[in-house]
Amino acid sequence: MLVSAKEMLRKAKAEKYAVGQFNINNLEWAKSILLTAQELNSPVILGVSEGAGKYMCGYTTVVGMVKGMIKELNITVPVAIHLDHGSYEHALKCIEAGFTSVMFDGSHYPIAENVKKTKELVKLANEKGISVEAEVGAIGGEEDGVVGNGEVADVEECKMIAGLGVDMLAAGIGNIHGKYPENWAGLRFDVLEEIGKATNPMPLVLHGGTGIPSDMIKKAISLGVSKINVNTECQLSFAAATRKYIEEGKDLQGKGFDPRKLLAPGAEAIKATVKEKMELFGSVNKA
Ligand code: 13P
């Protein structure tokens, strides 16, 4: 069932669990994530970065593919198609293409500009029942080739952006995309707690879900995080399984690899990663 992220996150916040956003890059990733969500009776958000959208032949192709899968695979759990770290222009394209949720990452604009653009998008998205995620305080690490410096969000700015009618708020609390360095200081729970109090009942979003220890994930959920984004961990498990298959040399007697068989172990590995995360986030049987 294709829906916006609004209701699923409201429910998650009220019942103290988090919905996973898993990024998709191709048909195999989308299929693995949807099948796992259905098997575990969990709501799910499919994240699409601008780069992944381009790779998959544009946003309308993504919407067509996901809609087709929902129908053909009988997916009845709530599914949102969400633009991840979108620019203003790409958020507009996704609203047009049939996405049910968009993130506008205005964190690199001065706050007045972030407010203005967020307001405009909220108005357009609301008219179509599409949910909007805003960001305050850039998330560190790499986002589609752009390396941000991990920031800790300003509580007053979070309050201001949360008041603009967005449905979820991503606030930097020392989290970064990709693997965490050895000397990572951990999440700033003091800041998360203040942001949670200042923006309640706004569902908060934790980016950079890969590599955050389980106890920190649970604590973040207890402090109001209702959506957690995971990308790198799926990439790592997909790559490891694919590499193993190739190294085992299972080709077709000199005819090369069967593309369907070649991608199957990676697809299975993604299912296992998604299952582990849904269990940790507490979204199993919450559809
Ligand atoms: P990771 O790649 O660290 O899992 O982060 C994903 C993310 O936050 C996408 O927005």
Side-chain angles (χ1 to χ4, degrees):
M1 192 181 29
L2 194 57
V3 294
S4 89
K6 189 185 180 103
E7 280 312 314
M8 63 168 95
L9 294 182
R10 242 193 228 174
K11 184 170 179 288
K13 171 98 185 190
E15 296 180 22
K16 288 205 180 293
Y17 62 90
V19 178
Q21 173 193 305
F22 301 95
N23 285 47
I24 61 170
N25 288 287
N26 59 18
L27 179 143
E28 283 75 15
W29 288 49
K31 185 177 166 188
S32 292
I33 296 163
L34 289 175
L35 285 174
T36 308
Q38 184 67 24
E39 186 193 319
L40 299 183
N41 193 30
S42 167
V44 74
I45 298 169
L46 302 178
V48 180
S49 69
E50 291 187 3
K54 194 171 165 195
Y55 173 77
M56 290 184 277
C57 296
Y59 301 123
T60 51
T61 309
V62 175
V63 171
M65 177 180 77
V66 173
K67 276 189 175 166
M69 283 185 180
I70 289 175
K71 183 164 179 260
E72 299 287 341
L73 300 172
N74 293 318
I75 305 294
T76 54
V77 296
V79 177
I81 314 179
H82 178 79
L83 173 66
D84 189 29
H85 290 286
S87 62
Y88 180 81
E89 291 72 24
H90 280 253
L92 289 181
K93 284 186 188 180
C94 287
I95 290 173
E96 272 309 301
F99 273 49
T100 58
S101 191
V102 291
M103 173 184 188
F104 167 54
D105 181 354
S107 62
H108 49 282
Y109 287 115
I111 187 71
E113 187 75 4
N114 192 354
V115 167
K116 182 170 172 276
K117 289 193 154 62
T118 302
K119 261 190 183 168
E120 284 169 15
L121 280 173
V122 165
K123 186 171 176 291
L124 291 169
N126 276 355
E127 283 167 9
K128 295 192 167 194
I130 295 168
S131 49
V132 177
E133 174 178 342
E135 177 171 329
V136 179
I139 316 292
E142 192 183 313
E143 291 170 355
D144 250 345
V146 181
V147 179
N149 301 310
E151 274 179 20
V152 174
D154 178 86
V155 179
E156 284 310 310
E157 288 186 5
C158 287
K159 203 172 163 179
M160 193 192 304
I161 298 280
L164 301 178
V166 299
D167 303 283
M168 60 203 118
L169 183 72
I173 50 165
N175 44 327
I176 60 169
H177 293 110
K179 283 187 173 176
Y180 285 84
E182 289 283 315
N183 60 353
W184 179 50
L187 296 176
R188 287 285 304 274
F189 290 114
D190 54 334
V191 178
L192 178 60
E193 196 164 1
E194 276 186 56
I195 294 170
K197 279 185 196 150
T199 61
N200 198 42
M202 175 66 56
L204 302 175
V205 183
L206 184 64
H207 282 247
T210 297
I212 298 178
S214 301
D215 58 332
M216 286 196 201
I217 292 280
K218 287 190 175 150
K219 186 159 181 190
I221 294 172
S222 77
L223 293 173
V225 164
S226 322
K227 171 175 176 278
I228 302 178
N229 294 4
V230 177
N231 179 37
T232 303
E233 210 155 319
C234 289
Q235 282 191 18
L236 292 171
S237 59
F238 183 82
T242 310
R243 193 176 301 118
K244 184 166 173 282
Y245 183 84
I246 292 172
E247 279 167 6
E248 285 169 359
K250 291 178 182 153
D251 74 357
L252 302 168
Q253 290 93 38
K255 284 194 279 177
F257 288 93
D258 176 336
R260 285 176 250 166
K261 288 188 180 150
L262 174 64
L263 296 178
E268 285 305 312
I270 288 184
K271 281 186 193 166
T273 302
V274 171
K275 182 169 190 271
E276 187 191 312
K277 295 296 168 194
M278 286 178 167
E279 284 168 352
L280 174 63
F281 300 166
S283 69
V284 175
N285 282 329
K286 299 290 187 183

